[in-house]
Amino acid sequence: MRQLIAGNWKMNGLRHTADAILDPLLAGLALDHGLACDLLVCPPATLLAWAAGRLQGSAVLLGGQDCSAGKEGAQTGDISAGMLRDAGAGWVILGHSERRAGHGETDGVVLAKVRAAVAEGLVAIVCVGETEEQRQSGQASAVVQSQLLGSLPADFDGVVAYEPVWAIGTGRTPTEEDVAAMHAHIRATLVSHLGQAGQTMRILYGGSVKPSNATALLALAEVGGALVGGASLDARDFLAIARAARQLPQNAAGARTPA
Ligand code: 13P
């Protein structure tokens, strides 16, 4: 299995700015003759069909940033998993902290959305992560475990992203030791909750991933890739992060444990 490098554009992008990211990204990939990782871009829903056209024939994967738990009907402003698929997406980010905090999404809401996404054949990337206050009071592991148990169906077979809330958009990251320890904790939780599927599931790290720290973060044990926000809006930075990715061992995402 390969590491997954996913770009979350958040609420950024118009057609011309999307081209300013996608065109150099595709040109860079052509120069590289492909990459050692799986590469995913998640633009706003308004750009999915546009991006799908641009990415046609390339290996770059396309995803949404959220979906409704509902299938269709009277839910003004919501977008269903089927609509994402129809617009060209094969993936969807769910339970991002900006949705959990800004839109009141509980674990139960995220779970329902994951079920809706999987029912439409989308691969879900489910985000978990503690706030700074929770980390400082020693609750980080418990918070993340409870989010995993509450957000993932027992037959989940997608991707998990660990994104400490305090590291998002701040330029701060946990130490390598802390990332490795949390990913080991997530792995153990996934194995006990999901069995076999939990053993190989990719666990992404997200939160201020940049070209300057990508090699060190992506080399850590149990880090199965990165979920990149700000740096994914610059094709050169996003490509540099993708070039830092590595092949994962067959049975687990294990690699270097920090000394
Ligand atoms: P930044 O990379 O901008 O810190 O954002 C991380 C994130 O929230 C990705 O989902």
Side-chain angles (χ1 to χ4, degrees):
M1 199 186 300
R2 290 143 43 113
Q3 284 186 320
L4 170 66
I5 308 298
N8 176 8
W9 293 10
K10 308 192 179 182
M11 197 172 69
N12 295 292
L14 302 170
R15 282 175 294 181
H16 72 280
T17 56
D19 283 351
I21 300 170
L22 296 175
D23 291 347
L25 187 63
L26 292 171
L29 289 177
L31 275 181
D32 280 10
H33 303 295
L35 275 174
C37 64
D38 293 333
L39 203 61
L40 168 69
V41 292
C42 299
T46 49
L47 286 174
L48 281 174
W50 179 266
R54 286 289 189 271
L55 297 175
Q56 205 165 26
S58 84
V60 181
L61 305 162
L62 185 64
Q65 299 174 11
D66 177 47
C67 72
S68 168
K71 232 174 142 63
E72 62 189 3
Q75 289 179 233
T76 303
D78 285 355
I79 293 173
S80 71
M83 291 170 180
L84 293 183
R85 181 159 258 319
D86 188 52
W91 295 65
V92 63
I93 298 168
L94 292 172
H96 192 282
S97 64
E98 287 152 16
R99 299 221 47 98
R100 288 178 185 267
H103 298 263
E105 292 193 5
T106 60
D107 290 334
V109 169
V110 177
L111 176 67
K113 290 184 171 197
V114 173
R115 289 205 167 109
V118 171
E120 285 294 339
L122 298 179
V123 183
I125 300 177
V126 178
C127 304
V128 295
E130 81 285 356
T131 63
E132 183 147 42
E133 199 182 23
Q134 288 164 336
R135 174 157 285 267
Q136 277 168 358
S137 58
Q139 299 171 65
S141 302
V143 165
V144 166
Q145 182 165 48
S146 142
Q147 288 175 330
L148 289 169
L149 298 180
S151 309
L152 302 181
D155 59 352
F156 183 67
D157 197 18
V159 174
V160 166
Y162 169 55
E163 296 206 305
V165 177
W166 53 273
I168 295 175
T170 59
R172 297 163 57 207
T173 56
T175 63
E176 291 176 25
E177 287 76 6
D178 284 346
V179 173
M182 184 60 87
H183 278 240
H185 172 63
I186 292 172
R187 173 70 62 208
T189 304
L190 293 178
V191 170
S192 76
H193 186 42
L194 308 173
Q196 180 75 25
Q199 286 177 6
T200 50
M201 183 166 293
R202 286 180 285 194
I203 307 167
L204 313 185
Y205 168 77
S208 296
V209 177
K210 309 281 177 216
S212 54
N213 59 21
T215 304
L217 288 166
L218 290 169
L220 293 170
E222 302 293 5
V223 171
L227 183 51
V228 185
S232 73
L233 298 172
D234 180 313
R236 262 180 319 176
D237 284 356
F238 193 49
L239 268 173
I241 293 167
R243 287 177 182 134
R246 62 182 168 85
Q247 187 77 27
L248 296 167
Q250 208 57 30
N251 56 345
R256 187 172 66 83
T257 315

